[in-house]
Amino acid sequence: MKHIQNIGLSLFLIGLSIFTALIFIGKYEVTSELMESIITNKGIKSELFINELNSKIVDKTFNNPFSLSSEITSALETANATHKQNSEWDKVIWDKPHSFSYGVIKSAGTGLVKDNAGLFWWLTFGLGIIGALLYIIPNVITLGPPGIKNNGIWLNAATNRGWIGWFAFIFLVGFYILLYFYPDYIVNWVYLVDPISESISGNAASQWFLYGFLYCVVMVVMGVRMYIKYRHNKYQVLRTTSVLFFQIVFAFLIPEILVRFEKPWYDFKNAFPLDYDFFYSWNLDQLINSGGFGLFILIWGIILTLVIVPVMVYFFGKRWYCSWVCGCGGLAETLGDPYRQLSDKSVKAWKLERWLVHGVLVFALVMTGFTLYAYFSGAQEVLGIKTQTIQDIYGFLIGSIFAGVIGTGFYPIFGNRVWCRFGCPLAAYMGIVQRFKSRFRITTNGGQCISCGNCSTYCEQGIDVRAYAQKGENIIRASCVGCGICSAVCPRGVLKLENGPEAGRINPTDVLLGNDVNLMDLVNKK
C-alpha cells in the first residue's frame, strides 16, 4: 500500500508541476480584427489608448502572458491618467487594468495549450485527481480499523507548520493573488476548463468558473479522505455528503445552468451579508430587469437572510449552515481538515476574534445601508463618502484579501477556519442568534472527562472545549459551528451535540476548591 501511495504522490506532484508551469508558456497574438472587436465591444473612445496598443501589441506575437499584460496595463493606466487630468471622463476606461488585460489575452491566445485543452486537462487535473486518490484510498487499510487516527500529527511537516506546510501556504496564497488580482496571468489555466464551461453554460470559461470547478474537485477528493477517516461516525459522513451536495449542485451547477437559459447567475444558498454585493445597484437592476424570476431571487434572498437563517439557527444552531451547507465551511472541513489543530486557543485570539468578526459585520451593514440609500435616492455620496469607494474598500479588504488570500491561503499556518472565525459577517450574525436565542448546545458529562485535551486540540474554532467539559458546563459559544469533531475525538463520550429546550441551556459552573468554600454550607443552601 505504501508503494501505491508513493506512486499517487508522484503523479499528484507531476500534475501540480505541469499546472504551475502552464502560466509561463503560450502564444498570444492580437490581430487588427481582434483589436477592432475589442474597441467596439468595450465602447473605447480613448485615442491615446488605441494608438498605444496599435503600436505596441497589434500584429505582434508574445510568448508569455506577462509581457503582453505589461503593455496593455501600462497603456491603459497612462491613457486614463491623461484623460482624468484633462477631465475627459467619457474617454476613461473604468475596467480594472488586469481584468481588461485578461479579456484581451484570453481572446488572443493560440498554440499548444489552447488547441489541446483536453490533453492538458488530463496532464494537470487528471493526474492530480488520480494521484491524490491513489494516495488517499489506501488509508482504508493503512489506518487500520475504523476510528480517528491523529497519530504523529504534531511530528508531520505537513500538519505542524513544517516546510511542507509553508510550501502549501505559499502556493495557496500565490494562487489566490493571481486569481483575484492578476487573472490575465492564468489564462492557460482557464483554457483547460473552457470545454466544461461551454457544455454547462454555453459560454467560454472565466477565471471564476475555473475557481468554482477547482473548488468542487478539491472538495470531492478531500471529501473521500473525510469519508475514510471518519467512516465510523455517521454525523461526519452525513455532513460531508451535505456540503459536497450543496457546493456542487447549488453553488456550481445551478448558477451555470441558469446562465445557459439567460437567467441571472445566483447561488440560492448564499445568504447576505456573506453575499455582500446582493444589494449593489448593478445586482438589483439585473434582478428587476430579469422579470418574474429575478424578482423571485430578490425576495428569496431577503427572506433567506431575515427569516430562514435566524429560524434555522434557533432550532439547530449555526451548524445547519456553517457545517452542512456553506461552501466556505465545506472547503474548510475537507481541504482544511488536516490543519484544524493549528487554530489558536489563546484568550488573546478569542478577544481578537470577537472584535474582528463583529467589526466586519458592522462594516457590511454600514456599507449596505449606504448602498441602499444611494440606490433609492440617486445620490453618489452619503455623509460625504462615495458609495462606490466604500464598496471597493470592502470588496478588496474583506471579499478578496480576508475571505480568499487569508481565509484559505492561511490554512496550513493558522488552521482551517480563519475566515469563518475572524471574518465572516454571516457567521457573526448567526453567532449572535446562537449565543442568545437558540436550542443548540454541546452538553458535557464532566464526571467522565479525563482531561486528555483532544477536544480542545482539534477544535477548529479555537474553543477550549476541555475547560467546559471539566466543569460539566454546556458549550454555547457564538463561534461554535457544530462540526462535531470534539465529540468524535473524545475517547470517553463526554460531549454530545443536542437541540433542546432553552431553559437550562446556559449553565455556567464555577470550579470549587475545598479551601475556598464550606462544602456543607453550599449543600445546605441548595
Side-chain angles (χ1 to χ4, degrees):
M1 287 299 168
K2 287 295 183 182
H3 292 302
I4 295 176
Q5 288 184 309
N6 289 335
I7 293 172
L9 181 60
S10 299
L11 290 177
F12 174 80
L13 292 176
I14 291 171
L16 182 64
S17 299
I18 296 174
F19 183 77
T20 304
L22 288 184
I23 65 175
F24 299 101
I25 63 174
K27 183 180 178 183
Y28 308 91
E29 183 176 355
V30 181
T31 63
S32 55
E33 293 80 8
L34 176 59
M35 186 63 191
E36 287 295 328
S37 174
I38 292 169
I39 293 171
T40 302
N41 293 336
K42 290 285 188 179
I44 297 173
K45 299 179 182 180
S46 172
E47 298 86 356
L48 287 175
F49 179 68
I50 294 172
N51 292 335
E52 184 72 9
L53 289 192
N54 282 332
S55 63
K56 291 292 184 65
I57 70 170
V58 173
D59 295 329
K60 292 182 173 60
T61 300
F62 295 82
N63 293 321
N64 62 71
F66 309 111
S67 54
L68 179 54
S69 170
S70 177
E71 296 288 357
I72 296 171
T73 55
S74 176
L76 189 149
E77 290 169 350
T78 301
N80 278 351
T82 302
H83 294 315
K84 289 177 181 178
Q85 186 176 7
N86 298 333
S87 297
E88 298 172 322
W89 301 108
D90 61 323
K91 296 183 179 182
V92 174
I93 301 170
W94 295 103
D95 295 36
K96 294 178 180 178
H98 286 281
S99 296
F100 183 92
S101 174
Y102 167 83
V104 176
I105 296 176
K106 181 80 178 341
S107 302
T110 60
L112 186 63
V113 179
K114 185 176 182 179
D115 295 340
N116 299 278
L119 172 63
F120 279 96
W121 188 94
W122 280 106
L123 291 174
T124 53
F125 281 95
L127 286 180
I129 294 169
I130 294 171
L133 292 177
L134 285 176
Y135 184 81
I136 291 169
I137 292 176
N139 285 333
V140 173
I141 297 175
T142 59
L143 290 180
I148 299 174
K149 307 294 193 304
N150 285 317
N151 301 343
I153 200 167
W154 291 109
L155 304 176
N156 192 320
T159 55
N160 189 27
R161 303 187 184 99
W163 70 270
I164 298 177
W166 282 101
F167 175 82
F169 162 75
I170 293 170
F171 183 87
L172 287 172
V173 169
F175 171 81
Y176 276 94
I177 289 174
L178 290 175
L179 178 72
Y180 281 107
F181 306 116
Y182 301 97
D184 45 345
Y185 294 171
I186 61 172
V187 289
N188 277 346
W189 292 352
V190 181
Y191 288 145
L192 301 180
V193 293
D194 266 341
I196 301 172
S197 178
E198 290 167 359
S199 67
I200 300 175
S201 68
N203 300 314
S206 66
Q207 78 265 33
W208 301 116
F209 182 90
L210 166 71
Y211 182 49
F213 179 77
L214 183 61
Y215 204 103
C216 292
V217 168
V218 170
M219 279 186 60
V220 170
V221 172
M222 294 301 287
V224 172
R225 176 187 173 277
M226 288 288 286
Y227 285 132
I228 293 173
K229 182 176 180 180
Y230 300 103
R231 62 189 184 276
H232 65 292
N233 190 303
K234 291 182 179 179
Y235 184 84
Q236 301 303 326
V237 171
L238 286 174
R239 76 183 186 91
T240 299
T241 304
S242 177
V243 292
L244 290 176
F245 169 77
F246 279 102
Q247 173 60 32
I248 295 171
V249 176
F250 278 81
F252 183 66
L253 291 178
I254 290 179
E256 294 296 333
I257 292 172
L258 287 176
V259 172
R260 191 178 192 92
F261 290 97
E262 299 182 350
K263 301 297 181 182
W265 192 102
Y266 184 68
D267 178 356
F268 282 91
K269 67 173 179 53
N270 201 15
F272 173 86
L274 179 60
D275 184 11
Y276 63 88
D277 58 5
F278 184 77
F279 293 107
Y280 282 12
S281 59
W282 62 264
N283 189 53
L284 293 177
D285 289 338
Q286 181 187 40
L287 295 179
I288 293 171
N289 294 332
S290 297
F293 187 75
L295 290 176
F296 168 75
I297 291 177
L298 180 59
I299 294 171
W300 165 258
I302 295 172
I303 292 176
L304 177 63
T305 299
L306 298 181
V307 179
I308 297 176
V309 166
V311 169
M312 291 293 285
V313 173
Y314 171 76
F315 284 105
F316 305 106
K318 62 193 281 189
R319 61 173 170 161
W320 82 270
Y321 192 86
C322 296
S323 290
W324 288 74
V325 173
C326 181
C328 301
L331 190 68
E333 296 295 338
T334 50
L335 176 64
D337 180 72
Y339 309 112
R340 63 174 62 249
Q341 70 280 355
L342 300 178
S343 60
D344 193 337
K345 277 71 174 185
S346 68
V347 174
K348 287 184 180 179
W350 175 54
K351 291 180 178 179
L352 176 64
E353 166 197 323
R354 291 188 299 168
W355 279 103
L356 267 181
V357 76
H358 295 106
V360 172
L361 174 60
V362 171
F363 189 2
L365 294 177
V366 170
M367 177 196 67
T368 302
F370 281 25
T371 299
L372 291 175
Y373 176 83
Y375 181 77
F376 289 109
S377 69
Q380 294 280 326
E381 299 180 353
V382 181
L383 301 176
I385 303 174
K386 288 185 177 181
T387 303
Q388 186 63 51
T389 300
I390 194 172
Q391 289 176 353
D392 290 343
I393 292 173
Y394 188 95
F396 174 75
L397 292 179
I398 309 302
S400 300
I401 297 295
F402 208 157
V405 177
I406 295 175
T408 304
F410 281 40
Y411 278 5
I413 306 302
F414 293 122
N416 61 325
R417 286 276 189 172
V418 178
W419 163 247
C420 311
R421 181 183 178 188
F422 294 98
C424 178
L426 180 58
Y429 166 41
M430 291 191 294
I432 294 171
V433 179
Q434 176 170 279
R435 176 62 179 81
F436 296 105
K437 194 66 177 177
S438 176
R439 294 165 57 87
F440 172 72
R441 81 291 306 270
I442 299 178
T443 58
T444 60
N445 181 358
Q448 290 292 317
C449 180
I450 59 174
S451 299
C452 67
N454 281 350
C455 52
S456 294
T457 297
Y458 298 105
C459 178
E460 58 193 1
Q461 290 293 102
I463 300 172
D464 187 3
V465 180
R466 178 173 58 179
Y468 290 89
Q470 289 171 330
K471 296 184 289 184
E473 183 178 344
N474 290 345
I475 301 170
I476 52 168
R477 287 276 287 273
S479 60
C480 178
V481 294
C483 67
I485 295 297
C486 59
S487 176
V489 298
C490 178
R492 301 280 291 174
V494 172
L495 304 162
K496 185 177 181 181
L497 283 68
E498 295 184 2
N499 301 311
E502 288 186 70
R505 175 173 173 264
I506 300 177
N507 66 332
T509 305
D510 294 326
V511 176
L512 300 178
L513 301 177
N515 294 332
D516 296 336
V517 66
N518 187 316
L519 297 180
M520 290 306 300
D521 287 346
L522 183 64
V523 171
N524 291 333
K525 287 180 182 179
K526 289 189 175 182

